[in-house]
PDB file of all heavy atoms in Angstrom:
ATOM      1  N   ARG A   1       0.785  -1.200   0.005  1.00 95.00           N
ATOM      2  CA  ARG A   1       0.038   0.043   0.032  1.00 95.00           C
ATOM      3  C   ARG A   1       0.857   1.281   0.049  1.00 95.00           C
ATOM      4  O   ARG A   1       0.555   2.286  -0.728  1.00 95.00           O
ATOM      5  CB  ARG A   1      -0.911   0.000   1.178  1.00 95.00           C
ATOM      6  CG  ARG A   1      -2.068  -1.002   1.082  1.00 95.00           C
ATOM      7  CD  ARG A   1      -3.030  -0.786   2.187  1.00 95.00           C
ATOM      8  NE  ARG A   1      -4.045  -1.829   2.376  1.00 95.00           N
ATOM      9  CZ  ARG A   1      -3.997  -2.842   3.321  1.00 95.00           C
ATOM     10  NH1 ARG A   1      -3.023  -2.792   4.195  1.00 95.00           N
ATOM     11  NH2 ARG A   1      -4.929  -3.821   3.258  1.00 95.00           N
ATOM     12  N   MET A   2       1.946   1.248   0.737  1.00 94.00           N
ATOM     13  CA  MET A   2       2.812   2.431   0.834  1.00 94.00           C
ATOM     14  C   MET A   2       3.510   2.681  -0.541  1.00 94.00           C
ATOM     15  O   MET A   2       3.506   3.800  -0.963  1.00 94.00           O
ATOM     16  CB  MET A   2       3.895   2.210   1.910  1.00 94.00           C
ATOM     17  CG  MET A   2       4.856   3.429   2.101  1.00 94.00           C
ATOM     18  SD  MET A   2       6.150   3.180   3.273  1.00 94.00           S
ATOM     19  CE  MET A   2       7.003   1.736   2.690  1.00 94.00           C
ATOM     20  N   VAL A   3       3.979   1.645  -1.211  1.00 94.00           N
ATOM     21  CA  VAL A   3       4.505   1.712  -2.500  1.00 94.00           C
ATOM     22  C   VAL A   3       3.537   2.252  -3.497  1.00 94.00           C
ATOM     23  O   VAL A   3       3.807   3.131  -4.237  1.00 94.00           O
ATOM     24  CB  VAL A   3       5.248   0.479  -2.980  1.00 94.00           C
ATOM     25  CG1 VAL A   3       5.571   0.438  -4.385  1.00 94.00           C
ATOM     26  CG2 VAL A   3       6.465   0.079  -2.053  1.00 94.00           C
ATOM     27  N   GLY A   4       2.394   1.626  -3.426  1.00 94.00           N
ATOM     28  CA  GLY A   4       1.306   2.097  -4.327  1.00 94.00           C
ATOM     29  C   GLY A   4       0.912   3.593  -4.148  1.00 94.00           C
ATOM     30  O   GLY A   4       0.713   4.249  -5.104  1.00 94.00           O
ATOM     31  N   ALA A   5       0.922   3.999  -2.932  1.00 95.00           N
ATOM     32  CA  ALA A   5       0.592   5.379  -2.576  1.00 95.00           C
ATOM     33  C   ALA A   5       1.517   6.323  -3.251  1.00 95.00           C
ATOM     34  O   ALA A   5       1.218   7.335  -3.873  1.00 95.00           O
ATOM     35  CB  ALA A   5       0.411   5.652  -1.120  1.00 95.00           C
ATOM     36  N   TYR A   6       2.897   5.992  -3.042  1.00 94.00           N
ATOM     37  CA  TYR A   6       3.967   6.886  -3.597  1.00 94.00           C
ATOM     38  C   TYR A   6       3.822   6.944  -5.135  1.00 94.00           C
ATOM     39  O   TYR A   6       4.036   7.952  -5.818  1.00 94.00           O
ATOM     40  CB  TYR A   6       5.356   6.378  -3.141  1.00 94.00           C
ATOM     41  CG  TYR A   6       5.740   6.967  -1.913  1.00 94.00           C
ATOM     42  CD1 TYR A   6       5.366   6.404  -0.655  1.00 94.00           C
ATOM     43  CD2 TYR A   6       6.599   8.013  -1.845  1.00 94.00           C
ATOM     44  CE1 TYR A   6       5.846   6.879   0.561  1.00 94.00           C
ATOM     45  CE2 TYR A   6       7.035   8.530  -0.576  1.00 94.00           C
ATOM     46  CZ  TYR A   6       6.619   7.913   0.569  1.00 94.00           C
ATOM     47  OH  TYR A   6       7.098   8.527   1.792  1.00 94.00           O
ATOM     48  N   LEU A   7       3.635   5.780  -5.752  1.00 95.00           N
ATOM     49  CA  LEU A   7       3.440   5.695  -7.218  1.00 95.00           C
ATOM     50  C   LEU A   7       2.285   6.466  -7.727  1.00 95.00           C
ATOM     51  O   LEU A   7       2.314   7.138  -8.738  1.00 95.00           O
ATOM     52  CB  LEU A   7       3.396   4.270  -7.679  1.00 95.00           C
ATOM     53  CG  LEU A   7       4.809   3.433  -7.567  1.00 95.00           C
ATOM     54  CD1 LEU A   7       4.493   1.911  -7.730  1.00 95.00           C
ATOM     55  CD2 LEU A   7       5.826   3.890  -8.556  1.00 95.00           C
ATOM     56  N   GLU A   8       1.185   6.298  -6.989  1.00 94.00           N
ATOM     57  CA  GLU A   8       0.002   7.109  -7.434  1.00 94.00           C
ATOM     58  C   GLU A   8       0.244   8.659  -7.310  1.00 94.00           C
ATOM     59  O   GLU A   8      -0.240   9.366  -8.196  1.00 94.00           O
ATOM     60  CB  GLU A   8      -1.208   6.695  -6.452  1.00 94.00           C
ATOM     61  CG  GLU A   8      -1.722   5.301  -6.799  1.00 94.00           C
ATOM     62  CD  GLU A   8      -2.764   4.881  -5.701  1.00 94.00           C
ATOM     63  OE1 GLU A   8      -2.939   5.573  -4.827  1.00 94.00           O
ATOM     64  OE2 GLU A   8      -3.399   3.790  -5.867  1.00 94.00           O
ATOM     65  N   ARG A   9       0.915   9.000  -6.246  1.00 93.00           N
ATOM     66  CA  ARG A   9       1.212  10.447  -6.159  1.00 93.00           C
ATOM     67  C   ARG A   9       2.179  10.913  -7.265  1.00 93.00           C
ATOM     68  O   ARG A   9       2.176  12.107  -7.660  1.00 93.00           O
ATOM     69  CB  ARG A   9       1.846  10.777  -4.806  1.00 93.00           C
ATOM     70  CG  ARG A   9       0.932  10.796  -3.614  1.00 93.00           C
ATOM     71  CD  ARG A   9       1.429  11.484  -2.489  1.00 93.00           C
ATOM     72  NE  ARG A   9       2.558  10.789  -1.758  1.00 93.00           N
ATOM     73  CZ  ARG A   9       2.311   9.944  -0.783  1.00 93.00           C
ATOM     74  NH1 ARG A   9       1.063   9.733  -0.373  1.00 93.00           N
ATOM     75  NH2 ARG A   9       3.284   9.434  -0.178  1.00 93.00           N
ATOM     76  N   ALA A  10       2.948   9.984  -7.810  1.00 92.00           N
ATOM     77  CA  ALA A  10       3.796  10.269  -9.088  1.00 92.00           C
ATOM     78  C   ALA A  10       2.960  10.249 -10.279  1.00 92.00           C
ATOM     79  O   ALA A  10       3.557  10.678 -11.358  1.00 92.00           O
ATOM     80  CB  ALA A  10       5.047   9.316  -9.102  1.00 92.00           C
ATOM     81  N   GLY A  11       1.774   9.981 -10.308  1.00 92.00           N
ATOM     82  CA  GLY A  11       0.873  10.041 -11.468  1.00 92.00           C
ATOM     83  C   GLY A  11       0.594   8.776 -12.130  1.00 92.00           C
ATOM     84  O   GLY A  11       0.161   8.759 -13.235  1.00 92.00           O
ATOM     85  N   TYR A  12       0.936   7.667 -11.518  1.00 94.00           N
ATOM     86  CA  TYR A  12       0.805   6.413 -12.220  1.00 94.00           C
ATOM     87  C   TYR A  12      -0.548   5.746 -11.729  1.00 94.00           C
ATOM     88  O   TYR A  12      -1.033   5.911 -10.750  1.00 94.00           O
ATOM     89  CB  TYR A  12       1.898   5.380 -11.841  1.00 94.00           C
ATOM     90  CG  TYR A  12       3.276   5.944 -12.272  1.00 94.00           C
ATOM     91  CD1 TYR A  12       4.239   6.171 -11.420  1.00 94.00           C
ATOM     92  CD2 TYR A  12       3.547   6.228 -13.652  1.00 94.00           C
ATOM     93  CE1 TYR A  12       5.514   6.688 -11.702  1.00 94.00           C
ATOM     94  CE2 TYR A  12       4.711   6.593 -14.039  1.00 94.00           C
ATOM     95  CZ  TYR A  12       5.700   7.011 -13.143  1.00 94.00           C
ATOM     96  OH  TYR A  12       6.941   7.374 -13.549  1.00 94.00           O
ATOM     97  N   ALA A  13      -1.041   4.902 -12.621  1.00 94.00           N
ATOM     98  CA  ALA A  13      -2.286   4.020 -12.299  1.00 94.00           C
ATOM     99  C   ALA A  13      -1.650   2.747 -11.746  1.00 94.00           C
ATOM    100  O   ALA A  13      -0.824   2.105 -12.356  1.00 94.00           O
ATOM    101  CB  ALA A  13      -3.040   3.757 -13.612  1.00 94.00           C
ATOM    102  N   VAL A  14      -2.136   2.423 -10.547  1.00 95.00           N
ATOM    103  CA  VAL A  14      -1.429   1.293  -9.756  1.00 95.00           C
ATOM    104  C   VAL A  14      -2.414   0.236  -9.504  1.00 95.00           C
ATOM    105  O   VAL A  14      -3.592   0.468  -9.172  1.00 95.00           O
ATOM    106  CB  VAL A  14      -0.909   1.906  -8.406  1.00 95.00           C
ATOM    107  CG1 VAL A  14      -0.197   0.738  -7.616  1.00 95.00           C
ATOM    108  CG2 VAL A  14       0.150   3.010  -8.638  1.00 95.00           C
ATOM    109  N   GLU A  15      -1.981  -1.036  -9.686  1.00 95.00           N
ATOM    110  CA  GLU A  15      -2.696  -2.225  -9.275  1.00 95.00           C
ATOM    111  C   GLU A  15      -1.827  -2.956  -8.266  1.00 95.00           C
ATOM    112  O   GLU A  15      -0.634  -3.174  -8.491  1.00 95.00           O
ATOM    113  CB  GLU A  15      -2.897  -3.118 -10.505  1.00 95.00           C
ATOM    114  CG  GLU A  15      -3.437  -4.444 -10.161  1.00 95.00           C
ATOM    115  CD  GLU A  15      -4.974  -4.583 -10.668  1.00 95.00           C
ATOM    116  OE1 GLU A  15      -5.557  -3.502 -11.077  1.00 95.00           O
ATOM    117  OE2 GLU A  15      -5.579  -5.650 -10.356  1.00 95.00           O
ATOM    118  N   LEU A  16      -2.420  -3.348  -7.176  1.00 96.00           N
ATOM    119  CA  LEU A  16      -1.796  -4.097  -6.105  1.00 96.00           C
ATOM    120  C   LEU A  16      -2.192  -5.571  -6.032  1.00 96.00           C
ATOM    121  O   LEU A  16      -3.403  -5.842  -6.077  1.00 96.00           O
ATOM    122  CB  LEU A  16      -1.861  -3.434  -4.714  1.00 96.00           C
ATOM    123  CG  LEU A  16      -1.598  -1.983  -4.495  1.00 96.00           C
ATOM    124  CD1 LEU A  16      -1.900  -1.594  -3.115  1.00 96.00           C
ATOM    125  CD2 LEU A  16      -0.217  -1.643  -4.898  1.00 96.00           C
ATOM    126  N   VAL A  17      -1.273  -6.503  -6.047  1.00 96.00           N
ATOM    127  CA  VAL A  17      -1.578  -7.916  -5.786  1.00 96.00           C
ATOM    128  C   VAL A  17      -0.653  -8.481  -4.825  1.00 96.00           C
ATOM    129  O   VAL A  17       0.498  -7.892  -4.635  1.00 96.00           O
ATOM    130  CB  VAL A  17      -1.586  -8.723  -7.125  1.00 96.00           C
ATOM    131  CG1 VAL A  17      -2.605  -8.196  -8.131  1.00 96.00           C
ATOM    132  CG2 VAL A  17      -0.153  -8.724  -7.784  1.00 96.00           C
ATOM    133  N   HIS A  18      -0.971  -9.684  -4.182  1.00 95.00           N
ATOM    134  CA  HIS A  18      -0.158 -10.018  -3.100  1.00 95.00           C
ATOM    135  C   HIS A  18       0.251 -11.505  -3.169  1.00 95.00           C
ATOM    136  O   HIS A  18       0.805 -11.990  -2.223  1.00 95.00           O
ATOM    137  CB  HIS A  18      -0.940  -9.919  -1.795  1.00 95.00           C
ATOM    138  CG  HIS A  18      -1.518  -8.439  -1.629  1.00 95.00           C
ATOM    139  ND1 HIS A  18      -0.665  -7.360  -1.479  1.00 95.00           N
ATOM    140  CD2 HIS A  18      -2.799  -7.920  -1.570  1.00 95.00           C
ATOM    141  CE1 HIS A  18      -1.392  -6.304  -1.301  1.00 95.00           C
ATOM    142  NE2 HIS A  18      -2.669  -6.568  -1.355  1.00 95.00           N
ATOM    143  N   ASP A  19       0.016 -12.162  -4.277  1.00 94.00           N
ATOM    144  CA  ASP A  19       0.660 -13.539  -4.399  1.00 94.00           C
ATOM    145  C   ASP A  19       1.024 -13.688  -5.917  1.00 94.00           C
ATOM    146  O   ASP A  19       0.586 -13.037  -6.819  1.00 94.00           O
ATOM    147  CB  ASP A  19      -0.176 -14.622  -3.886  1.00 94.00           C
ATOM    148  CG  ASP A  19      -1.420 -14.845  -4.779  1.00 94.00           C
ATOM    149  OD1 ASP A  19      -1.237 -15.354  -5.984  1.00 94.00           O
ATOM    150  OD2 ASP A  19      -2.483 -14.599  -4.281  1.00 94.00           O
ATOM    151  N   GLY A  20       1.804 -14.745  -6.186  1.00 95.00           N
ATOM    152  CA  GLY A  20       2.395 -14.951  -7.490  1.00 95.00           C
ATOM    153  C   GLY A  20       1.350 -15.287  -8.537  1.00 95.00           C
ATOM    154  O   GLY A  20       1.492 -14.909  -9.647  1.00 95.00           O
ATOM    155  N   VAL A  21       0.353 -16.177  -8.191  1.00 96.00           N
ATOM    156  CA  VAL A  21      -0.628 -16.631  -9.217  1.00 96.00           C
ATOM    157  C   VAL A  21      -1.427 -15.417  -9.602  1.00 96.00           C
ATOM    158  O   VAL A  21      -1.684 -15.171 -10.791  1.00 96.00           O
ATOM    159  CB  VAL A  21      -1.449 -17.707  -8.526  1.00 96.00           C
ATOM    160  CG1 VAL A  21      -2.574 -18.068  -9.581  1.00 96.00           C
ATOM    161  CG2 VAL A  21      -0.747 -19.003  -8.301  1.00 96.00           C
ATOM    162  N   GLU A  22      -1.916 -14.599  -8.652  1.00 95.00           N
ATOM    163  CA  GLU A  22      -2.657 -13.423  -9.016  1.00 95.00           C
ATOM    164  C   GLU A  22      -1.819 -12.433  -9.858  1.00 95.00           C
ATOM    165  O   GLU A  22      -2.399 -11.753 -10.647  1.00 95.00           O
ATOM    166  CB  GLU A  22      -3.111 -12.841  -7.708  1.00 95.00           C
ATOM    167  CG  GLU A  22      -4.257 -11.711  -7.914  1.00 95.00           C
ATOM    168  CD  GLU A  22      -4.762 -11.199  -6.540  1.00 95.00           C
ATOM    169  OE1 GLU A  22      -4.250 -11.525  -5.499  1.00 95.00           O
ATOM    170  OE2 GLU A  22      -5.685 -10.405  -6.663  1.00 95.00           O
ATOM    171  N   ALA A  23      -0.524 -12.423  -9.514  1.00 96.00           N
ATOM    172  CA  ALA A  23       0.372 -11.514 -10.342  1.00 96.00           C
ATOM    173  C   ALA A  23       0.342 -11.843 -11.793  1.00 96.00           C
ATOM    174  O   ALA A  23       0.319 -10.963 -12.603  1.00 96.00           O
ATOM    175  CB  ALA A  23       1.823 -11.567  -9.735  1.00 96.00           C
ATOM    176  N   VAL A  24       0.503 -13.134 -12.156  1.00 96.00           N
ATOM    177  CA  VAL A  24       0.523 -13.501 -13.572  1.00 96.00           C
ATOM    178  C   VAL A  24      -0.817 -13.163 -14.227  1.00 96.00           C
ATOM    179  O   VAL A  24      -0.863 -12.596 -15.293  1.00 96.00           O
ATOM    180  CB  VAL A  24       0.886 -15.073 -13.667  1.00 96.00           C
ATOM    181  CG1 VAL A  24       0.717 -15.436 -15.096  1.00 96.00           C
ATOM    182  CG2 VAL A  24       2.298 -15.339 -13.133  1.00 96.00           C
ATOM    183  N   ALA A  25      -1.880 -13.556 -13.437  1.00 96.00           N
ATOM    184  CA  ALA A  25      -3.265 -13.195 -14.127  1.00 96.00           C
ATOM    185  C   ALA A  25      -3.420 -11.729 -14.224  1.00 96.00           C
ATOM    186  O   ALA A  25      -3.977 -11.286 -15.293  1.00 96.00           O
ATOM    187  CB  ALA A  25      -4.363 -13.808 -13.135  1.00 96.00           C
ATOM    188  N   SER A  26      -3.005 -10.912 -13.262  1.00 96.00           N
ATOM    189  CA  SER A  26      -3.052  -9.436 -13.363  1.00 96.00           C
ATOM    190  C   SER A  26      -2.309  -8.883 -14.535  1.00 96.00           C
ATOM    191  O   SER A  26      -2.681  -7.941 -15.231  1.00 96.00           O
ATOM    192  CB  SER A  26      -2.771  -8.757 -12.122  1.00 96.00           C
ATOM    193  OG  SER A  26      -3.682  -9.128 -11.047  1.00 96.00           O
ATOM    194  N   ALA A  27      -1.060  -9.492 -14.668  1.00 95.00           N
ATOM    195  CA  ALA A  27      -0.153  -8.984 -15.733  1.00 95.00           C
ATOM    196  C   ALA A  27      -0.888  -9.189 -17.070  1.00 95.00           C
ATOM    197  O   ALA A  27      -0.686  -8.401 -18.000  1.00 95.00           O
ATOM    198  CB  ALA A  27       1.266  -9.728 -15.710  1.00 95.00           C
ATOM    199  N   ARG A  28      -1.564 -10.313 -17.270  1.00 94.00           N
ATOM    200  CA  ARG A  28      -2.291 -10.582 -18.572  1.00 94.00           C
ATOM    201  C   ARG A  28      -3.437  -9.593 -18.632  1.00 94.00           C
ATOM    202  O   ARG A  28      -3.742  -9.101 -19.773  1.00 94.00           O
ATOM    203  CB  ARG A  28      -2.862 -12.064 -18.541  1.00 94.00           C
ATOM    204  CG  ARG A  28      -1.767 -13.051 -18.825  1.00 94.00           C
ATOM    205  CD  ARG A  28      -2.411 -14.409 -18.936  1.00 94.00           C
ATOM    206  NE  ARG A  28      -1.452 -15.572 -19.097  1.00 94.00           N
ATOM    207  CZ  ARG A  28      -0.848 -15.838 -20.301  1.00 94.00           C
ATOM    208  NH1 ARG A  28      -1.180 -15.085 -21.380  1.00 94.00           N
ATOM    209  NH2 ARG A  28      -0.083 -16.799 -20.280  1.00 94.00           N
ATOM    210  N   ALA A  29      -4.168  -9.390 -17.576  1.00 94.00           N
ATOM    211  CA  ALA A  29      -5.406  -8.599 -17.710  1.00 94.00           C
ATOM    212  C   ALA A  29      -5.161  -7.062 -17.914  1.00 94.00           C
ATOM    213  O   ALA A  29      -5.845  -6.315 -18.622  1.00 94.00           O
ATOM    214  CB  ALA A  29      -6.258  -8.730 -16.441  1.00 94.00           C
ATOM    215  N   VAL A  30      -4.189  -6.503 -17.155  1.00 91.00           N
ATOM    216  CA  VAL A  30      -3.978  -5.128 -17.108  1.00 91.00           C
ATOM    217  C   VAL A  30      -2.927  -4.605 -18.030  1.00 91.00           C
ATOM    218  O   VAL A  30      -2.711  -3.425 -18.201  1.00 91.00           O
ATOM    219  CB  VAL A  30      -3.776  -4.472 -15.688  1.00 91.00           C
ATOM    220  CG1 VAL A  30      -4.917  -4.910 -14.814  1.00 91.00           C
ATOM    221  CG2 VAL A  30      -2.472  -4.907 -15.125  1.00 91.00           C
ATOM    222  N   THR A  31      -2.115  -5.444 -18.571  1.00 92.00           N
ATOM    223  CA  THR A  31      -0.953  -5.196 -19.491  1.00 92.00           C
ATOM    224  C   THR A  31      -0.139  -4.016 -18.927  1.00 92.00           C
ATOM    225  O   THR A  31      -0.170  -2.892 -19.518  1.00 92.00           O
ATOM    226  CB  THR A  31      -1.436  -4.951 -20.936  1.00 92.00           C
ATOM    227  OG1 THR A  31      -2.405  -3.860 -20.934  1.00 92.00           O
ATOM    228  CG2 THR A  31      -1.966  -6.157 -21.572  1.00 92.00           C
ATOM    229  N   PRO A  32       0.523  -4.212 -17.764  1.00 94.00           N
ATOM    230  CA  PRO A  32       1.192  -3.054 -17.228  1.00 94.00           C
ATOM    231  C   PRO A  32       2.421  -2.521 -18.060  1.00 94.00           C
ATOM    232  O   PRO A  32       2.955  -3.289 -18.789  1.00 94.00           O
ATOM    233  CB  PRO A  32       1.701  -3.692 -15.840  1.00 94.00           C
ATOM    234  CG  PRO A  32       1.901  -5.126 -16.161  1.00 94.00           C
ATOM    235  CD  PRO A  32       0.731  -5.414 -17.077  1.00 94.00           C
ATOM    236  N   ASP A  33       2.739  -1.345 -17.858  1.00 93.00           N
ATOM    237  CA  ASP A  33       3.974  -0.798 -18.422  1.00 93.00           C
ATOM    238  C   ASP A  33       5.152  -1.163 -17.606  1.00 93.00           C
ATOM    239  O   ASP A  33       6.338  -1.310 -18.204  1.00 93.00           O
ATOM    240  CB  ASP A  33       3.875   0.753 -18.500  1.00 93.00           C
ATOM    241  CG  ASP A  33       2.687   1.242 -19.410  1.00 93.00           C
ATOM    242  OD1 ASP A  33       2.846   1.025 -20.692  1.00 93.00           O
ATOM    243  OD2 ASP A  33       1.765   1.688 -18.881  1.00 93.00           O
ATOM    244  N   ALA A  34       5.072  -1.318 -16.401  1.00 93.00           N
ATOM    245  CA  ALA A  34       6.091  -1.758 -15.467  1.00 93.00           C
ATOM    246  C   ALA A  34       5.488  -2.612 -14.336  1.00 93.00           C
ATOM    247  O   ALA A  34       4.350  -2.467 -14.019  1.00 93.00           O
ATOM    248  CB  ALA A  34       6.916  -0.556 -14.968  1.00 93.00           C
ATOM    249  N   MET A  35       6.352  -3.473 -13.734  1.00 96.00           N
ATOM    250  CA  MET A  35       5.973  -4.276 -12.672  1.00 96.00           C
ATOM    251  C   MET A  35       7.045  -4.160 -11.518  1.00 96.00           C
ATOM    252  O   MET A  35       8.247  -4.289 -11.824  1.00 96.00           O
ATOM    253  CB  MET A  35       5.887  -5.797 -13.137  1.00 96.00           C
ATOM    254  CG  MET A  35       5.492  -6.778 -11.980  1.00 96.00           C
ATOM    255  SD  MET A  35       5.512  -8.445 -12.566  1.00 96.00           S
ATOM    256  CE  MET A  35       4.069  -8.434 -13.641  1.00 96.00           C
ATOM    257  N   VAL A  36       6.680  -3.956 -10.315  1.00 96.00           N
ATOM    258  CA  VAL A  36       7.487  -4.022  -9.208  1.00 96.00           C
ATOM    259  C   VAL A  36       7.230  -5.364  -8.562  1.00 96.00           C
ATOM    260  O   VAL A  36       6.092  -5.584  -8.054  1.00 96.00           O
ATOM    261  CB  VAL A  36       7.204  -2.879  -8.163  1.00 96.00           C
ATOM    262  CG1 VAL A  36       8.025  -2.990  -6.967  1.00 96.00           C
ATOM    263  CG2 VAL A  36       7.416  -1.466  -8.877  1.00 96.00           C
ATOM    264  N   LEU A  37       8.149  -6.245  -8.517  1.00 95.00           N
ATOM    265  CA  LEU A  37       7.860  -7.627  -8.278  1.00 95.00           C
ATOM    266  C   LEU A  37       8.832  -8.163  -7.113  1.00 95.00           C
ATOM    267  O   LEU A  37       9.956  -8.244  -7.170  1.00 95.00           O
ATOM    268  CB  LEU A  37       8.168  -8.533  -9.471  1.00 95.00           C
ATOM    269  CG  LEU A  37       8.100 -10.059  -9.413  1.00 95.00           C
ATOM    270  CD1 LEU A  37       6.624 -10.449  -8.975  1.00 95.00           C
ATOM    271  CD2 LEU A  37       8.491 -10.705 -10.755  1.00 95.00           C
ATOM    272  N   ASP A  38       8.163  -8.569  -5.985  1.00 93.00           N
ATOM    273  CA  ASP A  38       8.910  -9.200  -4.929  1.00 93.00           C
ATOM    274  C   ASP A  38       9.321 -10.500  -5.208  1.00 93.00           C
ATOM    275  O   ASP A  38       8.657 -11.237  -5.838  1.00 93.00           O
ATOM    276  CB  ASP A  38       7.911  -9.088  -3.638  1.00 93.00           C
ATOM    277  CG  ASP A  38       8.729  -9.503  -2.259  1.00 93.00           C
ATOM    278  OD1 ASP A  38       9.915  -9.116  -2.274  1.00 93.00           O
ATOM    279  OD2 ASP A  38       8.158 -10.146  -1.453  1.00 93.00           O
ATOM    280  N   LEU A  39      10.553 -10.863  -4.706  1.00 90.00           N
ATOM    281  CA  LEU A  39      11.098 -12.226  -4.923  1.00 90.00           C
ATOM    282  C   LEU A  39      10.422 -13.324  -4.204  1.00 90.00           C
ATOM    283  O   LEU A  39      10.028 -14.269  -4.564  1.00 90.00           O
ATOM    284  CB  LEU A  39      12.577 -12.202  -4.615  1.00 90.00           C
ATOM    285  CG  LEU A  39      13.314 -13.559  -4.979  1.00 90.00           C
ATOM    286  CD1 LEU A  39      13.430 -13.655  -6.471  1.00 90.00           C
ATOM    287  CD2 LEU A  39      14.745 -13.392  -4.408  1.00 90.00           C
ATOM    288  N   GLY A  40      10.125 -13.002  -2.902  1.00 89.00           N
ATOM    289  CA  GLY A  40       9.450 -13.916  -1.943  1.00 89.00           C
ATOM    290  C   GLY A  40       7.948 -13.787  -1.982  1.00 89.00           C
ATOM    291  O   GLY A  40       7.445 -12.922  -1.290  1.00 89.00           O
TER     292      GLY A  40
END
């Protein structure tokens, strides 16, 4: 949420997800320009 808030203030449209399976599905659905991806 904190990272998302900073990115939103910088003018980006932000989607937050919290696990890997959802991340792949969201990447297909929203076609992001960039992804901030946690390793664990």
Side-chain angles (χ1 to χ4, degrees):
R1 290 193 190 100
M2 179 177 67
V3 168
Y6 273 85
L7 288 167
E8 287 170 359
R9 282 200 290 270
Y12 299 118
V14 180
E15 173 106 0
L16 305 182
V17 299
H18 306 298
D19 72 66
V21 172
E22 194 175 7
V24 176
S26 293
R28 286 187 184 278
V30 305
T31 59
D33 298 289
M35 177 184 294
V36 177
L37 177 62
D38 188 33
L39 186 65

